[in-house]
C-alpha cells in the first residue's frame, strides 16, 4: 500500500470522527444553554477550547460568546477550517484520494454523507432544526464506519482506518477532560451541588456516555467514578483505555502483516501501560491535569511517529 | 417524429420506420411511458452523483464537480456494421504503431518520399528523445481512442486518432452499468455484446508489455496528475478495476535505476506505468522543468529498459492534425492495403492548388490550424458570417502552411429522450483499442458523445455534450 494511501485513510477517518465529536459537543452545549442560561457562556467557551477552535473564533468575532454564533461557527462558518462541514469535506477529499482502497459501499457512504451535509448545512440552522441536524451528522458518520466494518478486508488498509478513528476519539475525550478536569477533582468536590451535576452531565453527554454511566453506576453521579469511566473503563468505546487498546491492537495486526515492529509500537505500548498501571487514586495523587497533559503530549508524538514509520509523507 | 432529411438518423435512417438494429428497441420503447423514462433519467443522474462519476471544471469552485449528462436511449450498431468498423480500426492502429516505430528509427516513409521530412522536423509532438528507443514489446500506443463519425448507412470517417492519453472509457463502462441497472428487461430481450471486460483486458494488455528489468509478476500503477484533474474519477476507477496503485508524481522517485513508489514499507519498483500525464510533464529533467506532476529521471530509466510507459512518450506525433492528412498513405505504406476507414478529405493549404480551392470554397469548408486544438482559431464556413470569412481569408493567405481545410460532414443523429419524446441529435463515437504484443483488442462499441442542443454539431463535454450507452448487437 502507498504511504499516501495509509495517510489518506487515517485522516479520512479522523476527520469523520472529529465531525461526529463536534456534533456531540454542540449537543451538550445546547442542553446546558437550554437548562441553565447563566452557565451557557462559559460552557460555549469551554467547547471552543475543547475543539481547539477558540483562537480561530476570537480572531473572527472577538470575545463575544454568543450561543447561536458559536453553533454556526462550529457547524458551517466558511471562515472556520475546523467546522463540521469543513471536516466532512476534508474526509471526502481524503476518500477521493484513497478511492482505490475503499469498497464501493464505503465510498458511497462518505460521498452521500458529504452530499447530504452540504445541502443541510448550506444555510444557518434554526434552533428547532438543530437537534435533527446534529443527529444527521452523527448518523452519517456512523454509516461510513458501519460500511467499512461490514465490507472492508481486514488488512493494513482497515487497520490504518481504525487507528485514525480511535486516535481522534481518544484525543477528543482527553480534550474534554482537559477542559473540565477541575470539576472532577476530589479536593473541590461539592457533592450534589446543582452546578456540578450539570457539568458532570455535560461531560457524559459530550462523550455519549450518559446512559452507559447511569446503567453501570446506578444513577449515582460521582466525579471520581465519571473520571474513572472516561479514562480507565475498557468497556466504554470512547474511553481513553478502550481507544488505546484498539490502536495497539491495530498496530499489532500491522506488525504481524509486515513482520516488523516500529517505534510507534513502543510508543503505544507505553501509553497503554499507563492505563493498566494506574487507578484513579494514583492519577489524582499524580495530578489529574498533569496526567491528561502528559497523555495529550504523548499521543501527539505517537501521531507524528505513525506518519514517519509508515511513510504517509516523504 | 420530426425528420431532418439531410442527416442520416441511425434509428430511423432517412424514413420513419426503425432500421433493423433498432427494431426490437423501438418496439420496447413504444410500450413505455415517457414520464416513467424521464423519472428513470433522474434516477440515473442521482446514481452517477453517488458513485461520483463527475468531472472537474477548472476555475469554478462552486461547481467544481459536474456530471456529464447521460441520455438513456442507447445507440445501437449491428454486428455486421461493427465488424467492418473494427477491422478498419485495427488496420489503422497497426499502421500507427508501425509508423511510430519507423519515424523514431530509420524513417523509411520519409526516405520513400511518402511523407515530407519537415512534417517531423518542424513538429513539437515529435520527441527527439525517443529516436532509437524501442519500447518494451515494440508497442507505442497501448491505448488508442479512434474518433469516428458516421454520415450514412455505410459511411464512417475517422475524425481523429487519439494516440496520447485518450479518456472517456470509464463513461463507456458506467453507462452500461447504469443501463443494466435500470433496464434489465431490455438486456434479456436484446443481445448486446458486453464491455465490462475492458479493465481486465487493459490490465492483461499492459502486463504483457513488462520491461526487461521486471522479474516475476509485473507491478502496475496508474499515474494521475491528482484529484483536481478533470479526469481524476477515471484514473481512480481504472486503477481500482485493475487492482493497480494510483500514484502521483510525489509518490515516485528513481531508486537504484528503477522508478519506485513510496509504500508503507519503503520504496517498491514499478514495472508498467499507465500514465495519464502529458509528455511535457512526465520528466522535469527532460521536458518541462517546472513540472511537479512527473518523476525526475524517469526518461533515463525508460531508455534503459527499467520501466514501461503507456502510452510511450512521443506518440502524440501520430494524432497530429498535419500528419492526419497523410493517414491514408501511412496505412497503405505499412500494411500494404488500402485504408478501410475513410479519412475526412483534407486540403493542406501549403499546397498552392489546394489553397486556391480552399479560398474559392471557404463558405463550405471547415478550416483548422495545424497545431490547434479545442476548436480555437478555426473557421466553420457554413456557420460563419461574410465578415468573418473575409477576415479569415486574410489570415489564411498570410500563412497558408499553418492551415488545413475539410468539408463539413453531415454527422448522423441518434434520438435522445426529451420532455416531448424522442428527438434526433448529432453523435460521434470513440471506440477504445488496446494494443499488446499479443494483438489488438477493440471493445465492442465505445463512448458515444451526443450534442444535446438541436442542430448542434459540438459533442464535447466541456461544451454541454452528453453521452449514451453504445450497443453492438450479437451476431
Amino acid at each position: 500500500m502507498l504511504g499516501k494511501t495509509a495517510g489518506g485513510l487515517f485522516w479520512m477517518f479522523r476527520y469523520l470522527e472529529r465531525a461526529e465529536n463536534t456534533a456531540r459537543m454542540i449537543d451538550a452545549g445546547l442542553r446546558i444553554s437550554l437548562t441553565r442560561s447563566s452557565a451557557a457562556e462559559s460552557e460555549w467557551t469551554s467547547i471552543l477550547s475543547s475543539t481547539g477552535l477558540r483562537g480561530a473564533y476570537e480572531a473572527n468575532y472577538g470575545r463575544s460568546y454568543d450561543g447561536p454564533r458559536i453553533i454556526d461557527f462550529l457547524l458551517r462558518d466558511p471562515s472556520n477550517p475546523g467546522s463540521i462541514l469543513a471536516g466532512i469535506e476534508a474526509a471526502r477529499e481524503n476518500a477521493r484520494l484513497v478511492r482505490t482502497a475503499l469498497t464501493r459501499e464505503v465510498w458511497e457512504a462518505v460521498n452521500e454523507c458529504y452530499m447530504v451535509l452540504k445541502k443541510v448545512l448550506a444555510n444557518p440552522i434554526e434552533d428547532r432544526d438543530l437537534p435533527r441536524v446534529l443527529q444527521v451528522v452523527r448518523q452519517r458518520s456512523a454509516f461510513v464506519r458501519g460500511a467499512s466494518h461490514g465490507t472492508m478486508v481486514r488488512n493494513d488498509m482497515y487497520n490504518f482506518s481504525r487507528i485514525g478513528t480511535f486516535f481522534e476519539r481518544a484525543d477528543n475525550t482527553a480534550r474534554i477532560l482537559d477542559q473540565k478536569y477541575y470539576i472532577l477533582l476530589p479536593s473541590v468536590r461539592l457533592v450534589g451541588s446543582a452546578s456540578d451535576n450539570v457539568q458532570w452531565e455535560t461531560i457524559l453527554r459530550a462523550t455519549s456516555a450518559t446512559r452507559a454511566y447511569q446503567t453501570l453506576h446506578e444513577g449515582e453521579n460521582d466525579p471520581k467514578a465519571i473520571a474513572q469511566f472516561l479514562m480507565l473503563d475498557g468497556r466504554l468505546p470512547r474511553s481513553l483505555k478502550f481507544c488505546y487498546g484498539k490502536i495497539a491492537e491495530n498496530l499489532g495486526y500491522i506488525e504481524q502483516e509486515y513482520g516488523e515492529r516500529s517505534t510507534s509500537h513502543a510508543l503505544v505500548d507505553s501509553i497503554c501501560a499507563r492505563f493498566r498501571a494506574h487507578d484513579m487514586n494514583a492519577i489524582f495523587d499524580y495530578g489529574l491535569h498533569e496526567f491528561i497533559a502528559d497523555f495529550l503530549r504523548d499521543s501527539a508524538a505517537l501521531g507524528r511517529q505513525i506518519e514517519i514509520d509508515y511513510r504517509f509523507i516523504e | 417524429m420530426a425528420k431532418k432529411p439531410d442527416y442520416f438518423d441511425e434509428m430511423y435512417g432517412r424514413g420513419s420506420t426503425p432500421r433493423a438494429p433498432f427494431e426490437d428497441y423501438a418496439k420496447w420503447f413504444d410500450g413505455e411511458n415517457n414520464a416513467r423514462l424521464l423519472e428513470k433519467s433522474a434516477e440515473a443522474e442521482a446514481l452517477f452523483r453517488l458513485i461520483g462519476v463527475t468531472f472537474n471544471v477548472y476555475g469554478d469552485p462552486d461547481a467544481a464537480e459536474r456530471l456529464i449528462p447521460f441520455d438513456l436511449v442507447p445507440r445501437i450498431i449491428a454486428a455486421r456494421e461493427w465488424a467492418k468498423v473494427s477491422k478498419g480500426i485495427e488496420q489503422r492502429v497497426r499502421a500507427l504503431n508501425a509508423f511510430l516505430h519507423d519515424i523514431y528509427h530509420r524513417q523509411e516513409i520519409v526516405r520513400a518520399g511518402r511523407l515530407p521530412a519537415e512534417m517531423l522536423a518542424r513538429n513539437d509532438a515529435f520527441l527527439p528523445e525517443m529516436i532509437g528507443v524501442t519500447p518494451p514489446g515494440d508497442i507505442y500506443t497501448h491505448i488508442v481512442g479512434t474518433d469516428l463519425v458516421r454520415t450514412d448507412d455505410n459511411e464512417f470517417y475517422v475524425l481523429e486518432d487519439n494516440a496520447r492519453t485518450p479518456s472517456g472509457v470509464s463513461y463507456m463502462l458506467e453507462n452500461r452499468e447504469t443501463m443494466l441497472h435500470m433496464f434489465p428487461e431490455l438486456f434479456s430481450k436484446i443481445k448486446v455484446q458486453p464491455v465490462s471486460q475492458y479493465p481486465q483486458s487493459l490490465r492483461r494488455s499492459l502486463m504483457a508489455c513488462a520491461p526487461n528489468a521486471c522479474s516475476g509478476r509485473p507491478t502496475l500503477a496508474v499515474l494521475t496528475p491528482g484529484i483536481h484533474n478533470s479526469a481524476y474519477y477515471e484514473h481512480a476507477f481504472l486503477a481500482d478495476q485493475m487492482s493497480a496503485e494510483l500514484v502521483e508524481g510525489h509518490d515516485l522517485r528513481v531508486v537504484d535505476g528503477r522508478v519506485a513508489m513510496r509504500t508503507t514499507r519503503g520504496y517498491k519498483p514499478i514495472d508498467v506505468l499507465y500514465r495519464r500525464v502529458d509528455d511535457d510533464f512526465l520528466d522535469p529533467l527532460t521536458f518541462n522543468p517546472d513540472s511537479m506532476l512527473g518523476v525526475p529521471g524517469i526518461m533515463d530509466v525508460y531508455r534503459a529498459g527499467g520501466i514501461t510507459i503507456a502510452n510511450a512518450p512521443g506518440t502524440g506525433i501520430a494524432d497530429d492534425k498535419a500528419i492526419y492528412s497523410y493517414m491514408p498513405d501511412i496505412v497503405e505504406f505499412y500494411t500494404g492495403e488500402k485504408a478501410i476507414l475513410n479519412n475526412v478529405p483534407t486540403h493542406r493549404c501549403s499546397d498552392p492548388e489546394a489553397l486556391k480551392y480552399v479560398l474559392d470554397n471557404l463558405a463550405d469548408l471547415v478550416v483548422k490550424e495545424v497545431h490547434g486544438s479545442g476548436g480555437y482559431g478555426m473557421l466553420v464556413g457554413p456557420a460563419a458570417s461574410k465578415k468573418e470569412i473575409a477576415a479569415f481569408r486574410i489570415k489564411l493567405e498570410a500563412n497558408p502552411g499553418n492551415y488545413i481545410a475539410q468539408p463539413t460532414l453531415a454527422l448522423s443523429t441518434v434520438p435522445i429522450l426529451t420532455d416531448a419524446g424522442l428527438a434526433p441529435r448529432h453523435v460521434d463515437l470513440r471506440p477504445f483499442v488496446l494494443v499488446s504484443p499479443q494483438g489488438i483488442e477493440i471493445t465492442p462499441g465505445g463512448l458515444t458523445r451526443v450534442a444535446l442542443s438541436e442542430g448542434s454539431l459540438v459533442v464535447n463535454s466541456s461544451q454541454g455534450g452528453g453521452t449514451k450507452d453504445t450497443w453492438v448487437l450479437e451476431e
Side-chain angles (χ1 to χ4, degrees), chain B residues 208-225:
Chain B
C209 295
N212 289 334
C214 168
S215 52
R217 239 166 85 95
T219 299
L220 180 61
V222 178
L223 176 64
T224 174

Side-chain angles (χ1 to χ4, degrees), chain B residues 178-193:
Chain B
T178 304
M179 289 294 280
L180 283 165
H181 179 80
M182 293 196 307
F183 305 110
E185 76 276 16
L186 263 177
F187 290 87
S188 57
K189 281 199 190 81
I190 303 173
K191 292 297 162 211
V192 180
Q193 297 189 30

Side-chain angles (χ1 to χ4, degrees), chain B residues 18-36:
Chain B
R19 293 173 61 247
F22 277 87
E23 261 172 18
D24 289 337
Y25 180 79
K27 235 179 264 162
W28 173 86
F29 186 88
D30 288 342
E32 287 293 307
N33 162 322
N34 208 56
R36 182 185 99 101

Side-chain angles (χ1 to χ4, degrees), chain B residues 189-241:
Chain B
K189 281 199 190 81
I190 303 173
K191 292 297 162 211
V192 180
Q193 297 189 30
V195 295
S196 59
Q197 70 282 8
Y198 179 86
Q200 286 319 308
S201 299
L202 174 60
R203 180 183 168 82
R204 249 200 326 275
S205 175
L206 290 170
M207 301 281 260
C209 295
N212 289 334
C214 168
S215 52
R217 239 166 85 95
T219 299
L220 180 61
V222 178
L223 176 64
T224 174
I227 63 169
H228 300 296
N229 184 267
S230 67
Y232 178 76
Y233 169 75
E234 178 157 305
H235 307 160
F237 175 85
L238 288 174
D240 189 32
Q241 297 277 314

Side-chain angles (χ1 to χ4, degrees), chain B residues 224-462:
Chain B
T224 174
I227 63 169
H228 300 296
N229 184 267
S230 67
Y232 178 76
Y233 169 75
E234 178 157 305
H235 307 160
F237 175 85
L238 288 174
D240 189 32
Q241 297 277 314
M242 292 194 291
S243 314
E245 289 291 357
L246 180 64
V247 298
E248 292 173 53
H250 59 80
D251 296 315
L252 306 179
R253 63 153 62 159
V254 175
V255 179
D256 300 332
R258 303 293 311 275
V259 174
M261 55 186 171
R262 196 181 71 251
T263 75
T264 49
R265 309 174 68 179
Y267 278 90
K268 183 182 175 198
I270 292 171
D271 298 304
V272 181
L273 187 65
Y274 176 24
R275 51 92 176 218
R276 298 291 296 256
V277 165
D278 291 342
D279 284 352
D280 247 8
F281 297 98
L282 203 49
D283 185 347
L285 299 184
T286 305
F287 306 117
N288 182 349
D290 299 327
S291 171
M292 305 289 287
L293 304 176
V295 190
I298 189 174
M299 279 303 286
D300 289 341
V301 176
Y302 181 63
R303 281 191 292 251
I307 189 166
T308 298
I309 300 176
N311 289 349
T315 54
I317 184 81
D319 63 23
D320 186 76
K321 282 200 188 67
I323 296 291
Y324 171 85
S325 62
Y326 292 92
M327 276 308 289
D329 291 328
I330 289 173
V331 171
E332 210 177 317
F333 186 77
Y334 296 106
T335 65
E337 304 158 6
K338 284 258 174 242
I340 298 170
L341 292 171
N342 301 318
N343 233 41
V344 182
T346 303
H347 310 279
R348 294 188 284 269
C349 301
S350 53
D351 167 13
E353 236 174 87
L355 177 64
K356 181 173 182 311
Y357 173 82
V358 172
L359 288 170
D360 289 347
N361 293 282
L362 271 182
D364 301 321
L365 297 170
V366 177
V367 191
K368 298 173 179 169
E369 281 186 9
V370 169
H371 301 302
S373 69
Y376 295 105
M378 82 186 230
L379 176 82
V380 182
S385 68
K386 283 201 166 135
K387 215 173 129 188
E388 284 168 323
I389 292 179
F392 201 88
R393 180 184 298 274
I394 297 169
K395 285 204 308 194
L396 175 58
E397 283 175 324
N399 186 8
N402 193 36
Y403 295 93
I404 56 155
Q406 296 173 332
T408 41
L409 296 180
L411 300 197
S412 62
T413 56
V414 177
I416 63 167
L417 185 73
T418 70
D419 293 348
L422 295 180
R425 294 291 184 270
H426 294 292
V427 293
D428 78 353
L429 178 64
R430 175 176 291 179
F432 293 93
V433 188
L434 298 173
V435 190
S436 83
Q438 281 140 27
I440 294 176
E441 187 175 338
I442 307 169
T443 307
L447 178 65
T448 292
R449 297 188 297 177
V450 54
L452 293 176
S453 37
E454 194 177 347
S456 169
L457 295 167
V458 184
V459 297
N460 300 54
S461 53
S462 55

Side-chain angles (χ1 to χ4, degrees), chain B residues 110-134:
Chain B
V110 177
R111 290 163 200 250
R114 303 286 288 268
L115 183 76
E118 68 263 23
M119 292 310 300
L120 304 177
R122 296 210 325 254
N123 198 320
D124 291 343
F126 181 81
L127 295 186
E129 292 83 357
M130 285 298 290
I131 293 173
V133 178
T134 302

